[in-house]
Amino acid sequence: MIQRVLKILEQIENTAMAVLALVLIFAAAAQVVLRLFDVGVVWLDPVLRALVMWIAMLGALAATRHDKHINLDALTRLLSGWSLRAARLLTLLFAAAICVVLANASYGLVQLDRESMTPLVNDIPAWWVEVILPVGFGLMALRFALRAFVLPAPSQPEAT
Amino acid sequence: ATVFKIATVAPDGTTWMKEMREAAANVKAQTEGRVEVKYFPGGVMGNDVAVLRKMKLGQLQGGAFTGGEISQVQGDIQIYSLPFLFDDLNEIAYVRKTMDAEVKQRLAAKGIVPLGIAGGGFAYLMSTKPLRNQHDLRASKVWVPQNDKIAQVAFEQSQVNPIPLPLGDVYTSLQTGLLETVGTTTSGAIIFQWHTKVKYAFDLPLTYVLGVFAVDKRPYDKLSPADRTVVDREFAQAFQDIELAAAKDNENAWQTLVKNGVSFVKPDATEHQAWIDVGVRTRDAMVANGGISKDLLDKILALKAEYQSQQAAKP
Amino acid sequence: MIWLAILAIIALAAFGAPLFALIAAVALIGLQLSDYESTVLAVEFNRLAESPVLIAIPLFTIAGYVLSESGAPKRLVRLTEAMFGWLHGGLAIVAILACAMFTAFTGASGVTILAIGALIYPALRQAQYSERFSLGLVTTSGSLGLLFFPAVPLILYGIVAQSLGTSPSAGVEDMIKAGALPGLLMVSALAAYSMYAAPKRAHDVPFSAAELRAALWDARYELPLPFIVLGGVFLGTFAASEAAAITAAYVLIITVVIRREIPLQRLPAVLREAMELVGAILLILGVSLGLTYVLIDAGVPEQIFGFVNTHIGNKWAFLLLLNGFLIILGMLLDIFSATVIMVPILVPIAISYGIHPVHLGIIFLANMQLGYFTPPVGMNLFIASFRFKTPVLVLTRACVPFFFVLLACVLLITYWPGLSLWFIPPSP
Ligand code: NA
Ligand code: NA
């Protein structure tokens, strides 16, 4: 049951990422074409930059799923068995804890910008974009905590 | 000691920073070290939005802003920058003598105390292409600063579809032809190196550029009245000097621009009137959308009329 | 207490904790010491959404991933072979050129070894290049091209350096122009060494006009790419972020719509892989903005600055130490983390010695390039070891001559600023 829910969540995440990536590519290209034809759209640039932020957070969340976060792994390459388990438990729970703090900190940012009604552009409030930060870090914390108890698939030095 | 951490985008070594550092040194000496002002120049603290956020969180106690940037806190601070509101600097000086106190007060009511307002002179439109009238302007790629509400409304009123970009991207964009026309003071054109790109300028004062140095009200109110007086006095002095220096810089910059082959074109009477009309429509639109208070605008217009009748009465 | 925390962080780093978490932890300790709320970290992180050039990173990363999943590597190798294969040491030169171009597009993420190295290694062996030479060449070339636009580390350096607001400044466009000649120097030096080290009668590829024509035709859709990317920026038609937008859209259209080498069902997975790398990089960049803030607020750069200035007398001594320091840094840290953490500290110091931040950037990246195949961290060693089923130690030995060739280039780049600043107008 939990497996099924996780699978569905992952699929939603994958789809969201692909859609955001495609929107980013074609909106950015459209902006260039529009500029060449002398048309500027005031809200397009802030929206594109907001998209980068969302993609960064969703990408980081997915990177957690596949152990793709950048780390120094010279030592861990030498570990196996229980020592590898212990190292993962320690480091991934640490990462989860940091993500909790970051989620809390970004919730503070969202609050701050809601109170002062900081705009992203025109009438769009900035916090609509920023809300991905507490949500993203929160989910990342959860995922790190779960991964702490799971060993990765047989080691495959992949391109990062 | 109370430490004021101040962010500014001005790079270290500029006239602005020299004056600000001098004021800080004087404040420290005269308060016997009770008040210290520390600067973070060069934009290391991020853009205006980030600086305002940090002021709320107490990481920073102040910043230097353009009128447009600080207008997100209180719109009226930008009122002197309405396009074509003033014809020359004397007129502004006359109006500001009476009005500055009230304008500052309105911002202070929002928790941010402006210690100094410095006029940076008039901005002019400059272009890589010939620029004689509104028609030329509409046909070119015009820059508008992001978050500058007044400029956006003004361009809307003259049916220009401008390209919004952050300041840092303007130079490259002039180089690449993504932008052709920019609005800035003559010295601004030189500071940002845009003068190496533009060839034509429109000889019509577009808007009065404003620099605002503002601090968080909370630490400011905690100062003893005596220390507060020192801070007020020293920064008022610094800003007076900055304004004088800016006026001189602008004059010299004008000469440099001309020497560099930039031709200033004066608009004819019809064209001039067309621009004045844009100014009036922009004012109305800003009042209508709540960006500017009507009562304040009326007071300023009355003072302007007063100044003009005084001038007319002079022999 | 503070030492205990630092020890804990070092231990966690050694055991493979994600770097972003470590950087964030250090920043949080700093905030704690200055009595700031943790919200500050989020405010700084949010500056990711402030930089207009940042968009170039996801866009070029996507383009690189899509290209490496398509038949582009094969066509690139075929084309360079038709053009240069007939030279003495021709196949080695093909490997160098193809790797450099491909790395520029994939940002030295190790994909080059998998995509190009795997194609060329068997060809090298068949043409009687020794195993050691072939392995060394392929492993080394995996990071060649880091100085060429649109390599993401080059862009990242420009973004971080520009955010410092120094004078003179170093923007992305400056870095693009600066990287060209030093990059060519490294490519030529490796090519020259390969010509010297190639077997006497290397069984290379004879020249054929027909094959060249066919190869050109085969690569007709990819051929405009370098011109869009480089020509656009050098001639000033596009800003870096715009070149990225056009490139990504163009690559997607040719591979998915026109050539159909990536089926539509496979596309989301390719995009996701690219996004994972983007997420990992930007997460590190975001938290390091927080760390940089903490350091600036506490006046740490000024202190380091003062220390370095009193102890190191002149520019040349500083540059020598800088090289040593950067090689070690490159051995220990990946290029993205090294950039976001060290650049804000290094740039002001370098400027005080009269070193242009653009030149510093090229020195920085060139040193980091060595780090890619220097143990213990050198990522390319591990990727090559996995791909060619060879022990890391053997690979390390194979890389030694190449290391010294590139080290000589790094020194030349360091002590000849003009090479990097050739296309950079003197600052006012
Ligand atoms: Na740019
Ligand atoms: Na920074």
Side-chain angles (χ1 to χ4, degrees), chain B:
Chain B
T2 310
V3 181
F4 284 82
K5 293 180 178 172
I6 309 294
T8 158
V9 289
D12 224 347
T14 51
T15 317
W16 165 277
M17 276 314 296
K18 275 181 201 146
E19 292 287 346
M20 296 285 277
R21 285 199 191 283
E22 197 184 307
N26 292 345
V27 165
K28 189 174 176 183
Q30 288 170 36
T31 59
E32 285 152 350
R34 284 188 303 278
V35 182
E36 233 179 281
V37 183
K38 205 175 161 209
Y39 297 105
F40 296 92
V44 285
M45 286 292 167
N47 66 11
D48 47 314
V49 179
V51 171
L52 285 170
R53 262 190 211 118
K54 289 177 188 175
M55 282 171 68
K56 268 193 211 106
L57 289 171
Q59 285 168 274
L60 289 173
Q61 285 71 43
F65 304 89
T66 67
E69 286 168 354
I70 197 79
S71 73
Q72 57 192 305
V73 179
Q74 217 283 336
D76 285 336
I77 192 83
Q78 211 189 354
I79 197 156
Y80 301 130
S81 300
L82 284 169
F84 311 106
L85 182 58
F86 299 107
D87 303 320
D88 61 53
L89 292 172
N90 295 330
E91 203 174 275
I92 299 180
Y94 185 83
V95 173
R96 278 189 54 189
K97 211 164 53 192
T98 319
M99 293 307 298
D100 268 10
E102 186 172 348
V103 170
K104 283 181 178 176
Q105 239 246 281
R106 288 184 185 218
L107 184 60
K110 294 273 177 176
I112 290 184
V113 184
L115 291 182
I117 300 180
F122 283 114
Y124 294 84
L125 286 173
M126 301 177 198
S127 181
T128 55
K129 296 248 174 80
L131 194 63
R132 290 151 306 204
N133 45 44
Q134 289 196 25
H135 179 79
D136 285 344
L137 185 64
R138 272 176 224 133
S140 86
K141 299 172 187 168
V142 186
W143 171 58
V144 66
Q146 272 174 339
N147 288 333
D148 189 336
K149 262 269 164 59
I150 288 191
Q152 280 167 18
V153 171
F155 282 129
E156 214 171 276
Q157 294 303 328
S158 43
Q159 286 130 49
V160 171
N161 194 350
I163 298 171
L165 278 177
L167 183 71
D169 280 8
V170 172
Y171 178 79
T172 335
S173 305
L174 278 173
Q175 206 168 19
T176 58
L178 290 175
L179 286 180
E180 291 162 350
T181 305
V182 294
T184 180
T185 59
T186 47
S187 64
I190 288 176
I191 289 169
F192 302 125
Q193 295 290 306
W194 302 346
H195 72 293
T196 57
K197 302 284 165 253
V198 297
K199 286 273 159 293
Y200 306 89
F202 204 46
D203 187 358
L204 180 74
L206 189 68
T207 170
Y208 184 62
V209 175
L210 216 58
V212 181
F213 169 51
V215 296
D216 191 349
K217 197 166 186 301
R218 293 167 295 183
Y220 176 79
D221 281 350
K222 278 194 197 129
L223 297 180
S224 72
D227 287 352
R228 217 179 297 153
T229 316
V230 173
V231 170
D232 286 351
R233 187 184 60 227
E234 286 305 322
F235 280 99
Q237 182 60 47
F239 271 73
Q240 213 170 1
D241 295 346
I242 286 170
E243 205 167 290
L244 276 175
K248 218 191 215 157
D249 283 351
N250 277 331
E251 258 170 56
N252 292 339
W254 187 296
Q255 301 309 325
T256 311
L257 287 177
V258 171
K259 239 184 269 163
N260 262 316
V262 176
S263 55
F264 282 83
V265 182
K266 250 198 161 41
D268 60 24
T270 9
E271 188 57 31
H272 194 234
Q273 191 51 50
W275 283 106
I276 300 291
D277 293 343
V278 167
V280 174
R281 287 203 301 272
T282 306
R283 255 171 256 169
D284 293 346
M286 285 304 291
V287 169
N289 72 21
I292 296 274
S293 310
K294 185 160 189 326
D295 62 320
L296 201 66
L297 179 62
D298 288 342
K299 277 186 206 167
I300 286 175
L301 289 174
L303 278 167
K304 179 182 167 174
E306 192 179 290
Y307 173 81
Q308 283 177 341
S309 65
Q310 274 178 23
Q311 287 307 96
K314 275 189 189 163

Side-chain angles (χ1 to χ4, degrees), chain C residues 160 163-164 289 292 344:
Chain C
V160 175
S163 81
L164 299 172
L289 285 171
T292 302

Side-chain angles (χ1 to χ4, degrees), chain B residues 169 172, chain C residues 52-53 162 172-173 239-242:
Chain B
D169 280 8
T172 335
Chain C
V53 214
Q162 193 160 40
V172 175
E173 276 82 5
S241 50
E242 293 181 317

Side-chain angles (χ1 to χ4, degrees), chain C residues 70-136:
Chain C
S70 74
K74 223 177 251 161
R75 289 187 286 274
L76 177 60
V77 171
R78 182 181 178 191
L79 182 61
T80 37
E81 208 170 280
M83 287 168 87
F84 303 100
W86 54 275
L87 289 166
H88 174 68
L91 263 182
I93 295 171
V94 168
I96 292 164
L97 289 176
C99 283
M101 279 168 80
F102 199 71
T103 301
F105 269 93
T106 55
S109 52
V111 185
T112 305
I113 291 176
L114 300 175
I116 304 265
L119 279 177
I120 284 186
Y121 177 73
L124 283 168
R125 292 292 292 129
Q126 208 176 12
Q128 260 111 67
Y129 288 83
S130 72
E131 186 182 358
R132 190 189 257 202
F133 176 87
S134 307
L135 282 173

Side-chain angles (χ1 to χ4, degrees), chain A residues 14 17-19 21-22 24-26 28-29 31-33 35-36 45-46 48-50 52-53 55-60 62-63 65-66 68-77 79 87-88 90-92 94-95 98-99 101-102 104-109 112-113 129-130 133 137 140 144 155-160, chain C residues 9 12-22 24-25 28 38-39 41-43 45-52 54-55 58-59 62 65 109-111 114 237-238 241-242 245-246 248-249 252-253 267-268 271-273 275-284 287 332-334 336-337 376-377 379 382-383 386:
Chain A
N14 288 349
M17 246 186 304
V19 170
L22 289 175
L24 180 79
I25 294 168
F26 288 106
Q31 191 189 31
V32 179
V33 175
R35 268 192 210 170
L36 291 177
D45 188 61
L48 283 177
R49 283 184 279 126
V52 174
M53 173 80 100
I55 283 175
M57 290 309 288
L58 287 179
R65 195 203 309 168
H66 296 111
K68 288 272 187 77
H69 280 290
I70 298 172
N71 56 0
L72 312 178
D73 50 3
L75 185 59
T76 42
R77 279 176 209 285
L79 304 179
R88 278 181 69 84
L90 187 70
T91 55
L92 295 186
F94 162 72
I98 292 291
C99 284
V101 178
L102 288 173
N104 185 47
S106 8
Y107 181 69
L109 171 69
L112 189 71
D113 278 354
V129 172
E130 291 155 9
L133 295 177
F137 281 122
M140 236 183 282
F144 270 122
S155 88
Q156 283 196 359
E158 259 184 285
T160 23
Chain C
I9 283 172
L12 283 164
F15 283 106
L19 268 167
F20 86 88
L22 295 165
L28 285 166
S38 62
T39 314
L41 196 50
V43 170
F45 191 95
N46 192 53
R47 283 173 69 187
L48 283 184
E50 233 180 70
S51 161
L54 205 59
I55 195 172
L59 290 172
I62 292 171
Y65 268 77
S109 52
V111 185
L114 300 175
T237 326
F238 294 130
S241 50
E242 293 181 317
I246 297 294
L252 210 62
I253 289 170
L267 186 62
L271 291 175
R272 197 203 67 225
E273 269 175 53
M275 293 300 93
E276 284 177 356
L277 178 62
V278 169
I281 296 174
L282 292 186
L283 201 59
I284 285 190
V287 291
L332 297 176
L333 220 55
D334 77 282
F336 303 116
S337 317
V377 172
M379 183 177 63
F382 295 103
I383 293 171
F386 165 71

